[in-house]
Amino acid sequence: MPVCEWCGSEHARDSGNTVFWELPDGTKTIGITETPCVCCDACGMEYQTEETVKKIEDQLFLINTKQLEKQLTYAELMAKPRLLKRNYFDFSS
């Protein structure tokens, strides 16, 4: 069971929610349903881990966003074919 990054409670749990994400080129926003998240029963916060955020951002850099649906599931987004093997704009690793 994860610990809440906001309040430190041990009453956090893995779940899924809907998020809205602006595409890297700023042309539109998409809805991503069933996105992995942490839900805290103590403080009520729902959030994506840094790992999930990085996966979404990397994928949006690596796919053809011109043909992207207005709403899709996290699994559908991650299954989109990539134009590049990795995010060459990410200098963190």
Side-chain angles (χ1 to χ4, degrees):
M1 185 175 283
V3 173
C4 178
E5 292 180 18
W6 292 91
C7 73
S9 170
E10 294 182 7
H11 295 283
R13 58 188 161 75
D14 292 321
S15 188
N17 65 2
T18 298
V19 296
F20 298 91
W21 223 271
E22 183 176 336
L23 297 183
D25 63 4
T27 56
K28 67 180 177 179
T29 301
I30 60 168
I32 309 169
T33 62
E34 302 173 28
T35 305
C37 74
V38 176
C39 294
C40 180
D41 294 328
C43 70
M45 184 60 78
E46 292 184 10
Y47 61 92
Q48 276 61 48
T49 63
E50 288 183 34
E51 178 184 354
T52 299
V53 169
K54 182 164 178 20
K55 286 180 180 179
I56 292 170
E57 290 179 349
D58 282 349
Q59 185 70 348
L60 290 173
F61 269 113
L62 300 174
I63 64 173
N64 181 358
T65 58
K66 301 288 185 220
Q67 299 173 354
L68 201 56
E69 300 90 333
K70 186 172 177 113
Q71 183 165 317
L72 70 167
T73 68
Y74 177 81
E76 290 170 336
L77 175 63
M78 292 300 132
K80 296 284 184 188
R82 293 180 167 192
L83 301 173
L84 298 171
K85 291 181 183 179
R86 69 181 209 58
N87 182 353
Y88 294 99
F89 299 102
D90 179 10
F91 301 108
S92 64
S93 48

